[in-house]
Amino acid sequence: MTDSLRANTASQEGRLRNTQAEPAPADTDDRPIVLVGMMGAGKTTIGRHLAKALNREFVDLDLALEARCGVPVAVIFEIEGEAGFRKRETQLLDHYSQQKGIVLATGGGAVLAEVNRAMLKQRGLVVYLRANSDELYQRVARDRQRPLLQTDNPRARVAELLTQRAPLYEEVATLTFDTGSTPIPQAVQQLVSLLKQTRIRDEHRTS
């Protein structure tokens, strides 16, 4: 894939974010809040609501990558392969993981590269959105835009990917949150409370 993929300007990325708002007065920790987890874990949906609740900007890493390249993730996979996609993903993660006051939803495989995991652990407050393989499969079963699920047995593929990636999500996570069947508004309220507790604990450790 040539650099013609970069034809879309930064303004296109901007349209993928929530309108910038002033940080909430109580939100004194401006580290990026980074959501990791499997496809179907709810990173984008919960991320948008969480950003709104915290008066933060929301960025979806996959959508930002699509805007920069001008084509869907599936096309990047098709032309450059997974290795090419992962290289671009790392470059963009490096950029956004240094941005203060955002909620960043990563792709399911963002934790695969050691360099990515190091960036996440050093720069962000990382939330692992956890769900079991059956829950994940039910959420993504009809999604035809998932390159890694283009297989004869997508259910087994989801279970396989979860087995491979769960230890990596746990490695980078500041905290783990089970998405389960909790309605989004309640889940976000619970997550906001957990984030607050985590910040208070971190402040006590450094004081």
Side-chain angles (χ1 to χ4, degrees), residues 45-206:
T45 302
I46 291 177
R48 290 188 188 280
H49 286 80
L50 181 63
K52 184 177 180 179
L54 296 175
N55 287 325
R56 285 186 171 223
E57 181 182 4
F58 174 73
V59 179
D60 182 297
L61 196 65
D62 280 350
L63 295 182
L65 183 56
E66 289 182 344
R68 176 166 292 192
C69 294
V71 295
V73 165
V75 174
I76 302 174
F77 262 81
E78 181 181 349
I79 297 176
E80 293 189 343
E82 185 172 358
F85 171 80
R86 297 299 175 197
K87 181 178 179 180
R88 292 181 180 273
E89 180 180 56
T90 294
Q91 292 171 344
L92 214 54
L93 180 62
D94 184 30
H95 170 72
Y96 282 113
S97 64
Q98 298 182 69
Q99 305 303 303
K100 297 181 178 181
I102 68 170
V103 173
L104 175 64
T106 62
V111 297
L112 294 175
E114 184 176 356
V115 63
N116 292 1
R117 298 197 300 277
M119 284 190 283
L120 292 174
K121 289 187 284 187
Q122 292 168 8
R123 300 174 181 176
L125 200 166
V126 184
V127 180
Y128 169 26
L129 297 183
R130 185 169 59 186
N132 64 48
S133 61
D134 287 337
E135 291 170 335
L136 294 168
Y137 175 73
Q138 292 300 322
R139 296 172 190 172
V140 302
R142 298 184 181 182
D143 189 344
R144 304 303 179 189
Q145 302 304 312
R146 306 277 186 176
L148 294 178
L149 294 186
Q150 304 311 305
T151 175
D152 292 337
N153 191 342
R155 182 187 290 273
R157 182 59 171 155
V158 168
E160 177 187 9
L161 290 172
L162 180 59
T163 298
Q164 294 171 351
R165 296 175 178 181
L168 303 180
Y169 297 138
E170 293 167 358
E171 175 189 335
V172 301
T174 308
L175 64 91
T176 298
F177 183 79
D178 289 302
T179 55
S181 58
T182 305
I184 295 298
Q186 287 91 324
V188 170
Q189 288 179 359
Q190 294 171 15
L191 187 50
V192 168
S193 178
L194 287 172
L195 287 167
K196 182 178 180 180
Q197 293 172 24
T198 299
R199 288 166 174 158
I200 291 173
R201 185 182 67 238
D202 290 348
E203 288 173 0
H204 287 167
R205 285 178 178 174
T206 57

Side-chain angles (χ1 to χ4, degrees), residues 27-38:
D27 191 6
T28 56
D29 185 344
D30 61 2
R31 287 179 295 170
I33 296 171
V34 186
L35 306 182
V36 301
M38 284 283 291

